[in-house]
Amino acid sequence: MVQGAINQNTKLTKDWLQNYVDDWVKFYWKHTKEGELASYIPHLMQADKSHLGISIMGINGVTIESGDVDIPFTIQSISKVFTFIVACMERGVSYVLDRVDVEPTGAAFNSIMHLEMKQIKKPFNPFVNAGAITVTSLLNGKTSDEKLEPIFELLENILGYCPSLNMDVFKSESETSIRNRAIGYYLVETGNLESELDLTLETYFKQCSIEISLKDLAHIGTILANDGKDPKTELEIIPKQVARLAKSLMLTCGMYDASGKFAAYVGIPAKSGVSGGIVAVAPPRARHEDLPFLEGCGIGVYGPALDKQGNSIAGIRLLRHIAKQWDLSIF
Amino acid sequence: MVQGAINQNTKLTKDWLQNYVDDWVKFYWKHTKEGELASYIPHLMQADKSHLGISIMGINGVTIESGDVDIPFTIQSISKVFTFIVACMERGVSYVLDRVDVEPTGAAFNSIMHLEMKQIKKPFNPFVNAGAITVTSLLNGKTSDEKLEPIFELLENILGYCPSLNMDVFKSESETSIRNRAIGYYLVETGNLESELDLTLETYFKQCSIEISLKDLAHIGTILANDGKDPKTELEIIPKQVARLAKSLMLTCGMYDASGKFAAYVGIPAKSGVSGGIVAVAPPRARHEDLPFLEGCGIGVYGPALDKQGNSIAGIRLLRHIAKQWDLSIF
Amino acid sequence: MVQGAINQNTKLTKDWLQNYVDDWVKFYWKHTKEGELASYIPHLMQADKSHLGISIMGINGVTIESGDVDIPFTIQSISKVFTFIVACMERGVSYVLDRVDVEPTGAAFNSIMHLEMKQIKKPFNPFVNAGAITVTSLLNGKTSDEKLEPIFELLENILGYCPSLNMDVFKSESETSIRNRAIGYYLVETGNLESELDLTLETYFKQCSIEISLKDLAHIGTILANDGKDPKTELEIIPKQVARLAKSLMLTCGMYDASGKFAAYVGIPAKSGVSGGIVAVAPPRARHEDLPFLEGCGIGVYGPALDKQGNSIAGIRLLRHIAKQWDLSIF
Amino acid sequence: MVQGAINQNTKLTKDWLQNYVDDWVKFYWKHTKEGELASYIPHLMQADKSHLGISIMGINGVTIESGDVDIPFTIQSISKVFTFIVACMERGVSYVLDRVDVEPTGAAFNSIMHLEMKQIKKPFNPFVNAGAITVTSLLNGKTSDEKLEPIFELLENILGYCPSLNMDVFKSESETSIRNRAIGYYLVETGNLESELDLTLETYFKQCSIEISLKDLAHIGTILANDGKDPKTELEIIPKQVARLAKSLMLTCGMYDASGKFAAYVGIPAKSGVSGGIVAVAPPRARHEDLPFLEGCGIGVYGPALDKQGNSIAGIRLLRHIAKQWDLSIF
């Protein structure tokens, strides 16, 4: 048994866990060299690909952090989770699900082909670009600021502060993300968008450019792990039904076209972004009862060196190891 | 709150639960009229499409049954779970996963197109036909009986008796399942099969023709819910790693091209077959602690009237309702 | 033998031919009821779907016209022939063919899927929208007027007058042809366009909106039939190599995804547009020697009621009949 | 002007042409080194990839041969032309065209994907494998010998002798052409075959294994160039409608997924096989009147070194050069 694995007879202390996490981050750090920075948004090329950090926050409030935890980064595709949640809260779950399906695709996140091949009435799921752009168009509001307001409000409710937009990244995305514009026009033609395309894309690029920290990602994960309630205040921030739905989508579609492998090898809901961030969610399980820390937790990972599917290459290995050692799998 | 939903302050009794399940089966029975029997295997057309039954077995041994529980049926695609488990036990998980991927496809179970379109090295996952045929070819043995022996052994270890083959169904499948032969030859050409095609297909058709009962399905589900251990004897029947992997695949790929919707709306691992059977697995969760019955359970459903994706049309609705009422979702 | 068919022993007179053509137009007119006007460009809905007319111009100058010959219409996709010819004349054949392939696709003219599915370096051919937009981007000029100038010049050289733009149609196309914008952005991302997208699309929509008459179409066809030379003056208007190339592309790709059927059943190069126009080209053949009129000819057809592939439904039947009766097939 | 090109004022003699053809064969011979032998049928690997030969036969009976003209070879996919012709003669053109379309695909000859992707009722055309297998199933006869009899009869009518089967190649194909079996089972399932699959495939592999010579190919081409009539006897061997149809299909679909390029750059109907043979057809054209030899001709080419599309790499270059020099293009 690898050291650091759960000993069912031991009440683990935070320090004990912290030591192991420190070791694991050091061990998996070498894989950062095997990945590449995202190149299609120029601004993301400024990241340092040797960075790797993790933040873990238990539902009981215990927090463990290790590695490069202080680098702010933009959330990119992780925003698709928030947009989906907010759209469900604003318009109702069934309204949203009438306009976007919840099936994994087997294709890359930016595929146009799948839209045409199946002559679909609605995009495959809210976490491929076509689906996320559709969901963004459902948000209320006549300007991108109005549309984004409830997303910022949601984040503020969770984090206790309101994150800001990184305008340099926003500009970089607006200028370069041509494929999204192609997808957008396709969706206009097929009648899938409920807002004007320019407004929708502006909102979409802005939500991708929200800048947060690793600790924030862990915090968000904790709320989802706790089915949408703040563990401290027991206030409902996200309706339970919506939180559950978001987690199921994270599991089946959250890690681009490596989602199946992540479900099989790690086994917890997660969503990645091309900036190198991942938010992962370990809901509480009966079999964790000996491990007070793990009543369930949220995990944030940051490592901008990506694998071919666009996920943090070292981050995924680190998550896989932790999930195995701590028996986090939901299965 | 719908009646029968979990009251967090009440220790439910078996009788109390039984009453609710009886009501729900009666309520959802009407949907059997909306589905169709599987037509591509002539023998399956002999089923009675008005049948609907359920069997639930808790890890603690409590059992609830309702509806048409005494109709024997062949397991069809549910066999893909056992074949995958046995192949992993015989050849090792990594050997098997080098030969079949674990990604959902977004396509129908019998698609050939996806093999060619992506010029893949290995089929998408072990639960589409191409993947299942590949996995069957990995089983040890020079005859179909030799190959099937460990599958029967596994079932006997779980069920306490050895199920039999329905030879009429086997013949019916052998004669009519032409698409599988097309897929098979494709896999021969691409070098994916490790046994001769005729032997592989004979084994494949036989494993689909194993006949069991609803109670058996629930029993199998319980073992998976308990991570491969028999809850009574605490003996390991399936290695934990393999059981977990099987459950993750059931969640992402188990319900044909409605797997994403089943994950979103029901939220538990399940595998269906075109005979109308479904085995579903609810692993124990911390939040179930008030409900002794639900330390985790296996669920078998039988309803041969199918929806367009090939899943039991009333069975899915029944499972969705129960999962919601008893808060079974793993998310 | 149907009346009007070529009697190898008779020198046909123009009057004799005219009578037959009049009969045939009357006979095939009934099929106009089976088609539909193009709906995706609103302005085209104003056409009268009962119209059907034909103009035939021999290399020897004899002209036969019948039916609705005086309705001006926009050339739509027929412009793809001119743009391709002009691009080849401006940039050289090999430069253009390095940027667009010459293969038929088996897919609809406005497919995006095919671009992604084959991960192609260049669009399939210059007569699908993706290819035509790419070719338009190759035209010299910094404004759409500059880009279009040589196209208008070419048309003036052929027709003896300069046709005009129908600005209502241009506006209607600019506002509604969303799919072309999706295709355009896709091509920007893959690096296929050599002009800015807005400029390219403006030019593309304008060239589609050039308004001409049936007689003009026949005239253009005659020049192509004569390998680019004006039969009267013997001046080269289009280089022979380019004229030949254009005709080969019209045969393999000119009639949308019915090109193969048109080649098989009619057997002459042709290009259609969604306004209901078709330009067809019958090059001179040895076996026509008894028929002075048919040293080769150009044919214009107009019939805005379209079939499912977007070709004039009555026009195609009329062309098929004439080609058979007069043995025009190039095969 | 390249030497050997047609001088419109000169009556070319056979010797004069022979000299040029000898030079061209020598010049293009070097390209044999750039290709590869077909590998998927083991027996074809025994060919000598440095071979290159050509045989040209005018409708007027003049014959020119050069290079490796005495190597017998199997016709492979060239047989698809004969099978299609015979099926049309046996069952009628419309019966056959109800069961196979005549559209080019944009995909490889052995694609299964295209069948599924478009959920087609009939294969794309008779020259892709799916279409050719379908057409073979339409032939009358209860054994492969009965089915092949009219094909041999047709060849005997043209060639004056009955070619034989190369049984080694037949065996090699039967044993290895797995993909065709996959395609075959797909077609069985979709109800496209009118004979049993084993019988159909046996017939299909046999027709591919007919062995002929270069001179035979040229002879066959001449009959097609002359619209199905024997130029010497003026007897109709193939009905004119069928010969025309076959030529149109050769132009749009005859050279695998390089058919569009062959039409554009060479401009005459042709069909290739993976053994390295090509039969090309230059129908008579008015503009050839100064060149008595070229009242139209058939051309056979043999060069077993293939390009990526499966066509003779040197043979295509040689044909392109000759077509340009002698102005053979039908456009």
Side-chain angles (χ1 to χ4, degrees):
Chain A
M1 181 185 265
V2 180
Q3 287 198 306
I6 293 173
N7 180 328
Q8 296 292 334
N9 301 319
T10 312
K11 298 285 179 190
L12 300 178
T13 65
K14 181 186 152 161
D15 287 353
W16 198 85
L17 290 169
Q18 177 76 51
N19 286 339
Y20 278 112
V21 173
D22 286 343
D23 284 355
W24 296 335
V25 169
K26 272 177 211 145
F27 182 81
Y28 286 99
W29 175 81
K30 64 187 173 208
H31 292 288
T32 59
K33 292 173 195 162
E34 299 160 11
E36 297 297 335
L37 294 173
S39 59
Y40 75 94
I41 303 171
H43 196 275
L44 297 182
M45 293 297 285
Q46 300 178 13
D48 180 340
K49 69 176 249 193
S50 74
H51 281 158
L52 179 64
I54 190 168
S55 175
I56 306 170
M57 186 181 295
I59 287 179
N60 62 2
V62 175
T63 299
I64 296 171
E65 296 189 322
S66 192
D68 301 298
V69 295
D70 296 323
I71 321 293
F73 53 91
T74 55
I75 56 175
Q76 299 299 330
S77 288
I78 298 174
S79 67
K80 290 167 180 165
V81 179
F82 310 133
T83 314
F84 176 72
I85 288 172
V86 166
C88 287
M89 291 168 71
E90 279 189 345
R91 312 297 297 263
V93 168
S94 63
Y95 188 91
V96 173
L97 295 187
D98 279 352
R99 282 150 187 83
V100 64
D101 207 340
V102 291
E103 292 297 333
T105 70
F109 65 95
N110 60 355
S111 177
I112 285 191
M113 183 170 88
H114 264 72
L115 298 175
E116 183 178 339
M117 193 163 63
K118 297 225 150 182
Q119 304 199 303
I120 53 164
K121 298 262 169 59
K122 46 186 182 181
F124 267 76
N125 67 63
F127 294 170
V128 292
N129 290 13
I133 292 169
T134 300
V135 173
T136 299
S137 84
L138 304 181
L139 297 176
N140 292 326
K142 292 179 181 170
T143 64
S144 65
D145 287 346
E146 281 179 36
K147 279 174 170 290
L148 291 168
E149 197 183 307
I151 293 178
F152 280 112
E153 208 172 304
L154 173 71
L155 290 171
E156 190 168 6
N157 283 345
I158 295 173
L159 306 176
Y161 84 102
C162 187
S164 59
L165 278 187
N166 183 322
M167 289 306 288
D168 290 338
V169 172
F170 166 62
K171 277 176 202 155
S172 192
E173 298 214 36
S174 306
E175 284 159 13
T176 57
S177 192
I178 306 297
R179 175 73 75 98
N180 285 327
R181 209 163 280 276
I183 293 171
Y185 276 106
Y186 190 101
L187 294 167
V188 170
E189 197 216 8
T190 50
N192 288 90
L193 298 195
E194 299 206 352
S195 302
E196 276 200 0
L197 180 59
D198 281 340
L199 170 58
T200 302
L201 287 178
E202 185 188 326
T203 311
Y204 179 78
F205 294 140
K206 279 188 177 168
Q207 74 201 24
C208 288
S209 307
I210 295 173
E211 196 166 79
I212 59 170
S213 73
L214 255 187
K215 187 171 215 139
D216 293 339
L217 273 191
H219 203 150
I220 291 159
T222 312
I223 304 295
L224 287 169
N226 201 36
D227 279 349
K229 276 193 191 165
D230 186 317
K232 288 183 204 158
T233 63
E234 284 295 307
L235 289 175
E236 182 187 275
I237 295 177
I238 302 165
K240 178 175 165 181
Q241 182 199 8
V242 175
R244 288 273 178 93
L245 188 54
K247 282 187 276 185
S248 78
L249 280 162
M250 291 165 80
L251 193 94
T252 56
C253 321
M255 302 299 280
Y256 304 124
D257 38 335
S259 299
K261 277 179 275 294
F262 196 86
Y265 301 142
V266 188
I268 54 176
K271 182 77 204 77
S272 58
V274 290
S275 53
I278 302 174
V279 58
V281 178
R285 297 199 51 184
R287 60 174 90 117
H288 298 151
E289 54 197 10
D290 306 325
L291 189 64
F293 166 63
L294 293 167
E295 288 171 17
C297 63
I299 306 177
V301 166
Y302 175 68
L306 306 181
D307 61 20
K308 283 184 184 166
Q309 278 81 30
N311 297 315
S312 174
I313 194 164
I316 282 202
R317 281 171 170 78
L318 180 60
L319 275 171
R320 182 174 175 172
H321 186 74
I322 293 178
K324 192 178 168 195
Q325 295 306 100
W326 293 354
D327 199 26
L328 297 182
S329 164
I330 60 173
F331 295 107
Chain B
M1 183 184 268
V2 180
Q3 287 199 306
I6 293 172
N7 180 329
Q8 296 293 332
N9 302 320
T10 312
K11 298 282 179 192
L12 299 179
T13 65
K14 181 187 151 159
D15 287 353
W16 199 86
L17 290 169
Q18 177 75 51
N19 286 339
Y20 278 112
V21 173
D22 287 342
D23 285 353
W24 295 335
V25 169
K26 272 177 212 145
F27 183 80
Y28 286 100
W29 175 82
K30 65 187 173 208
H31 292 288
T32 60
K33 292 172 195 160
E34 298 159 13
E36 297 296 334
L37 295 173
S39 59
Y40 75 96
I41 303 172
H43 197 275
L44 297 182
M45 293 298 284
Q46 300 177 13
D48 180 339
K49 70 175 251 193
S50 75
H51 281 159
L52 180 64
I54 190 166
S55 175
I56 306 170
M57 186 181 295
I59 287 178
N60 61 4
V62 174
T63 298
I64 296 170
E65 295 190 321
S66 192
D68 302 298
V69 295
D70 296 321
I71 322 291
F73 54 90
T74 54
I75 56 176
Q76 299 300 329
S77 288
I78 298 173
S79 67
K80 290 166 179 166
V81 179
F82 310 133
T83 315
F84 176 71
I85 288 172
V86 166
C88 287
M89 290 168 70
E90 279 189 346
R91 311 297 297 263
V93 168
S94 63
Y95 188 92
V96 173
L97 296 187
D98 280 351
R99 282 150 186 84
V100 64
D101 207 339
V102 291
E103 291 297 333
T105 70
F109 65 95
N110 61 355
S111 178
I112 285 190
M113 183 170 85
H114 265 72
L115 298 176
E116 182 178 338
M117 192 164 62
K118 296 224 151 185
Q119 304 199 300
I120 54 163
K121 297 264 168 56
K122 47 186 182 180
F124 267 76
N125 67 63
F127 294 170
V128 291
N129 291 12
I133 292 170
T134 299
V135 172
T136 299
S137 84
L138 303 181
L139 297 175
N140 292 326
K142 292 178 181 170
T143 64
S144 64
D145 287 346
E146 283 178 36
K147 278 175 171 288
L148 291 168
E149 199 183 305
I151 293 178
F152 280 113
E153 208 173 303
L154 174 71
L155 290 171
E156 191 168 4
N157 283 345
I158 295 173
L159 306 176
Y161 84 102
C162 186
S164 59
L165 278 187
N166 183 322
M167 289 307 287
D168 290 338
V169 172
F170 166 62
K171 277 176 203 157
S172 192
E173 297 214 35
S174 307
E175 285 159 13
T176 57
S177 192
I178 306 298
R179 175 72 76 99
N180 285 326
R181 209 164 280 276
I183 293 171
Y185 276 105
Y186 191 100
L187 294 168
V188 171
E189 197 217 7
T190 50
N192 288 88
L193 298 195
E194 298 206 352
S195 303
E196 275 200 0
L197 180 59
D198 281 341
L199 170 58
T200 302
L201 287 178
E202 186 189 325
T203 311
Y204 178 78
F205 294 140
K206 279 188 177 168
Q207 75 201 26
C208 289
S209 306
I210 294 172
E211 195 166 80
I212 60 171
S213 73
L214 254 188
K215 186 170 218 140
D216 294 337
L217 273 190
H219 203 151
I220 290 159
T222 311
I223 304 294
L224 286 169
N226 201 35
D227 278 348
K229 276 192 192 165
D230 186 318
K232 288 181 202 158
T233 64
E234 282 296 307
L235 288 175
E236 182 187 274
I237 295 178
I238 301 166
K240 178 175 165 181
Q241 183 198 8
V242 175
R244 288 273 178 92
L245 188 54
K247 282 186 276 184
S248 79
L249 279 161
M250 291 165 80
L251 193 94
T252 55
C253 321
M255 302 300 281
Y256 305 122
D257 38 335
S259 298
K261 278 179 274 293
F262 195 87
Y265 300 143
V266 188
I268 55 176
K271 181 76 202 80
S272 59
V274 289
S275 53
I278 303 174
V279 57
V281 178
R285 297 198 51 183
R287 62 175 86 116
H288 298 150
E289 55 197 9
D290 307 325
L291 189 63
F293 166 64
L294 292 167
E295 287 171 16
C297 62
I299 306 177
V301 166
Y302 175 68
L306 306 181
D307 61 21
K308 283 185 185 167
Q309 279 80 30
N311 297 315
S312 173
I313 194 163
I316 283 202
R317 281 173 169 78
L318 181 59
L319 275 171
R320 181 173 177 172
H321 186 74
I322 292 178
K324 191 177 169 196
Q325 295 306 100
W326 292 354
D327 200 25
L328 296 182
S329 165
I330 61 173
F331 296 107
Chain C
M1 181 184 266
V2 180
Q3 288 198 305
I6 293 172
N7 179 330
Q8 296 292 334
N9 301 319
T10 312
K11 299 281 178 194
L12 301 178
T13 64
K14 181 186 151 159
D15 287 353
W16 198 85
L17 290 169
Q18 176 76 51
N19 286 338
Y20 278 113
V21 173
D22 286 343
D23 284 354
W24 296 335
V25 169
K26 274 177 210 143
F27 183 80
Y28 286 100
W29 175 81
K30 66 188 172 207
H31 292 288
T32 59
K33 291 173 195 159
E34 298 160 12
E36 297 298 335
L37 296 172
S39 59
Y40 75 95
I41 303 171
H43 197 274
L44 297 182
M45 293 298 284
Q46 300 178 13
D48 180 339
K49 70 175 249 194
S50 75
H51 282 159
L52 179 64
I54 189 167
S55 175
I56 306 171
M57 186 181 296
I59 287 178
N60 61 4
V62 174
T63 298
I64 295 171
E65 294 190 323
S66 192
D68 302 298
V69 296
D70 297 322
I71 320 294
F73 54 91
T74 53
I75 57 175
Q76 299 299 330
S77 288
I78 298 174
S79 67
K80 289 166 180 165
V81 179
F82 310 133
T83 315
F84 176 71
I85 288 172
V86 166
C88 286
M89 291 169 70
E90 280 189 345
R91 312 297 296 263
V93 169
S94 63
Y95 187 92
V96 173
L97 296 188
D98 280 352
R99 282 150 187 84
V100 64
D101 207 339
V102 291
E103 292 297 332
T105 69
F109 65 93
N110 60 355
S111 178
I112 285 191
M113 183 169 86
H114 265 71
L115 299 175
E116 182 178 340
M117 194 164 61
K118 297 225 152 185
Q119 303 200 303
I120 53 163
K121 298 264 167 58
K122 47 186 182 180
F124 267 78
N125 67 64
F127 293 170
V128 291
N129 290 13
I133 292 168
T134 299
V135 173
T136 298
S137 85
L138 303 181
L139 297 175
N140 292 326
K142 291 180 182 167
T143 65
S144 65
D145 287 346
E146 282 178 37
K147 280 174 170 289
L148 291 169
E149 198 183 306
I151 292 178
F152 279 111
E153 209 174 303
L154 173 72
L155 290 171
E156 190 167 6
N157 284 344
I158 295 173
L159 306 175
Y161 84 101
C162 186
S164 59
L165 278 187
N166 183 321
M167 290 305 288
D168 289 339
V169 172
F170 166 63
K171 276 176 204 155
S172 193
E173 297 213 38
S174 308
E175 284 160 13
T176 57
S177 192
I178 305 298
R179 175 74 76 100
N180 286 325
R181 210 163 279 278
I183 293 171
Y185 276 105
Y186 191 99
L187 294 167
V188 170
E189 198 216 7
T190 51
N192 288 89
L193 298 194
E194 297 204 352
S195 302
E196 274 200 3
L197 179 59
D198 281 341
L199 170 58
T200 302
L201 287 178
E202 185 188 325
T203 310
Y204 177 80
F205 293 140
K206 279 188 177 169
Q207 75 201 24
C208 289
S209 307
I210 295 173
E211 194 166 79
I212 59 171
S213 73
L214 254 188
K215 188 171 217 140
D216 295 339
L217 272 191
H219 203 151
I220 291 160
T222 312
I223 305 295
L224 287 169
N226 201 36
D227 279 350
K229 276 192 192 165
D230 187 317
K232 289 183 203 156
T233 63
E234 283 296 307
L235 289 175
E236 184 186 275
I237 295 178
I238 302 165
K240 179 174 163 180
Q241 182 198 9
V242 175
R244 288 273 178 92
L245 189 54
K247 282 186 277 185
S248 79
L249 280 162
M250 291 164 79
L251 193 94
T252 55
C253 320
M255 302 299 280
Y256 304 123
D257 39 334
S259 298
K261 277 180 275 295
F262 195 86
Y265 301 143
V266 188
I268 55 177
K271 183 76 202 80
S272 58
V274 289
S275 52
I278 303 175
V279 57
V281 179
R285 298 199 49 183
R287 62 173 85 116
H288 298 149
E289 55 197 10
D290 307 326
L291 189 63
F293 167 63
L294 292 167
E295 287 171 17
C297 63
I299 306 177
V301 167
Y302 175 68
L306 306 181
D307 61 21
K308 282 184 185 169
Q309 279 80 30
N311 297 314
S312 173
I313 194 163
I316 282 203
R317 280 173 170 77
L318 180 59
L319 275 170
R320 181 174 175 172
H321 186 73
I322 292 178
K324 192 177 169 194
Q325 294 307 99
W326 294 353
D327 199 25
L328 297 182
S329 165
I330 60 174
F331 295 106
Chain D
M1 183 185 266
V2 179
Q3 288 197 306
I6 293 173
N7 179 330
Q8 296 292 333
N9 302 319
T10 312
K11 296 284 178 192
L12 300 177
T13 65
K14 182 186 152 158
D15 286 354
W16 198 84
L17 290 169
Q18 176 76 50
N19 286 339
Y20 279 112
V21 173
D22 286 343
D23 284 354
W24 297 335
V25 169
K26 273 176 211 143
F27 182 81
Y28 286 99
W29 175 82
K30 65 187 174 208
H31 292 289
T32 60
K33 291 172 195 161
E34 298 160 13
E36 297 297 335
L37 295 172
S39 59
Y40 75 93
I41 303 172
H43 197 275
L44 297 182
M45 292 298 286
Q46 300 178 13
D48 180 340
K49 71 176 248 195
S50 75
H51 281 159
L52 180 64
I54 190 167
S55 175
I56 306 171
M57 185 181 294
I59 287 178
N60 61 4
V62 175
T63 299
I64 295 171
E65 295 191 323
S66 191
D68 301 299
V69 296
D70 297 322
I71 321 293
F73 53 90
T74 53
I75 57 177
Q76 299 300 329
S77 288
I78 298 174
S79 67
K80 290 167 180 165
V81 179
F82 311 132
T83 315
F84 176 71
I85 288 172
V86 167
C88 286
M89 291 168 70
E90 280 189 345
R91 312 298 296 264
V93 168
S94 63
Y95 188 92
V96 173
L97 296 187
D98 280 352
R99 282 151 186 82
V100 64
D101 208 339
V102 292
E103 292 297 333
T105 69
F109 65 94
N110 60 356
S111 177
I112 285 191
M113 184 169 86
H114 265 71
L115 299 175
E116 183 178 339
M117 194 164 61
K118 296 225 151 182
Q119 304 199 303
I120 53 164
K121 298 264 169 56
K122 46 186 181 181
F124 267 77
N125 67 64
F127 294 170
V128 291
N129 290 14
I133 292 169
T134 299
V135 173
T136 298
S137 84
L138 303 181
L139 297 176
N140 291 327
K142 291 179 182 171
T143 65
S144 64
D145 287 346
E146 282 178 36
K147 279 175 170 289
L148 292 169
E149 199 182 305
I151 292 177
F152 280 112
E153 209 173 301
L154 174 71
L155 290 171
E156 191 168 5
N157 284 345
I158 295 173
L159 306 176
Y161 85 101
C162 186
S164 59
L165 278 188
N166 183 322
M167 291 304 289
D168 289 339
V169 172
F170 166 62
K171 276 176 204 156
S172 193
E173 298 214 36
S174 307
E175 284 159 13
T176 56
S177 193
I178 306 297
R179 174 73 76 99
N180 286 325
R181 210 163 280 277
I183 293 171
Y185 276 106
Y186 191 100
L187 293 168
V188 171
E189 198 217 7
T190 51
N192 289 88
L193 298 194
E194 298 205 353
S195 303
E196 275 200 3
L197 179 59
D198 282 341
L199 171 58
T200 302
L201 287 178
E202 185 189 324
T203 310
Y204 178 78
F205 294 140
K206 280 188 176 167
Q207 73 201 26
C208 289
S209 307
I210 295 174
E211 195 167 80
I212 59 171
S213 73
L214 255 188
K215 187 169 216 139
D216 295 338
L217 273 191
H219 203 151
I220 291 160
T222 312
I223 305 295
L224 287 169
N226 200 36
D227 278 350
K229 276 192 191 165
D230 187 316
K232 289 183 203 157
T233 63
E234 284 296 308
L235 289 175
E236 183 186 276
I237 295 177
I238 302 165
K240 179 175 164 180
Q241 183 198 9
V242 175
R244 289 275 178 91
L245 189 54
K247 283 186 277 186
S248 79
L249 280 162
M250 290 165 79
L251 194 94
T252 55
C253 322
M255 303 298 281
Y256 303 123
D257 38 336
S259 298
K261 276 179 275 294
F262 195 86
Y265 300 143
V266 188
I268 54 177
K271 182 75 202 81
S272 58
V274 289
S275 53
I278 302 175
V279 57
V281 178
R285 297 198 50 182
R287 60 174 88 116
H288 298 149
E289 54 197 10
D290 306 324
L291 188 64
F293 167 63
L294 292 167
E295 288 170 16
C297 63
I299 306 177
V301 166
Y302 175 67
L306 306 180
D307 61 20
K308 283 186 184 164
Q309 278 81 30
N311 297 315
S312 174
I313 193 164
I316 283 202
R317 280 173 170 77
L318 181 59
L319 275 171
R320 181 174 176 172
H321 186 73
I322 292 179
K324 193 178 168 194
Q325 295 307 100
W326 293 353
D327 200 24
L328 297 182
S329 164
I330 60 174
F331 295 107

